[in-house]
Amino acid sequence: EVQLQASGGGLVQVGGSTRLSCAVSGFTWDDYAIGWFRQAPGEEREGVACISTESGSTFYDDSAKGRFTMSVDSAKNTVFLQLNSLKPEDTAVYYCGSRRAPYYSGTFYCAYPNGMDYWGKGTQVTVSS
């Protein structure tokens, strides 16, 4: 069974940085989609950065481009999201989600989070001014 556990985050000042980690178990790294999503209070869950072996490239939402970097360390079964130049509007619970045997690109799965099969518990990022 695939399990995901996000960690990191916390309280960060505007302009600061933090790194989120997602520990993955029960997962095969040869054919997958995995991504970072976030959900602010009263808002829908949205994709931040997603990668799929279907396309081989990482998609970043416009809000994340140039500030966030997603990386995968398959040897350590961990996915990271480096968040830099944080803004108050980045405040949200951040989740990692995945699915096996993806049909579509990372762009699709970030746009349609319901396409993911597995979710971990989220981790809170609060950006204070």
Side-chain angles (χ1 to χ4, degrees):
E1 181 183 359
V2 175
Q3 293 186 331
L4 306 159
Q5 180 62 58
S7 62
L11 181 63
V12 186
Q13 290 191 332
V14 170
S17 299
T18 191
R19 188 175 78 161
L20 308 182
S21 300
C22 177
V24 183
S25 61
F27 196 76
T28 54
W29 291 98
D30 56 347
D31 190 17
Y32 67 92
I34 195 162
W36 285 98
F37 302 78
R38 66 186 181 186
Q39 189 167 16
E43 301 290 332
E44 297 286 325
R45 189 170 296 188
E46 62 179 6
V48 175
C50 301
I51 186 169
S52 169
T53 53
E54 193 279 339
S55 64
S57 60
T58 304
F59 166 82
Y60 291 96
D61 182 74
D62 285 345
S63 65
K65 286 178 182 176
R67 299 189 302 127
F68 298 176
T69 302
M70 178 178 176
S71 59
V72 175
D73 188 337
S74 57
K76 295 182 178 180
N77 288 331
T78 305
V79 181
F80 301 98
L81 185 68
Q82 178 69 39
L83 295 82
N84 298 327
S85 303
L86 283 163
K87 306 174 181 179
E89 52 264 42
D90 295 318
T91 295
V93 177
Y94 284 72
Y95 300 87
C96 50
S98 72
R99 72 166 286 145
R100 289 183 287 190
Y103 296 118
Y104 304 109
S105 67
T107 305
F108 176 86
Y109 290 111
C110 262
Y112 299 101
N114 288 341
M116 293 301 199
D117 295 328
Y118 305 99
W119 293 96
K121 292 183 179 179
T123 186
Q124 177 74 45
V125 174
T126 302
V127 184
S128 66
S129 56

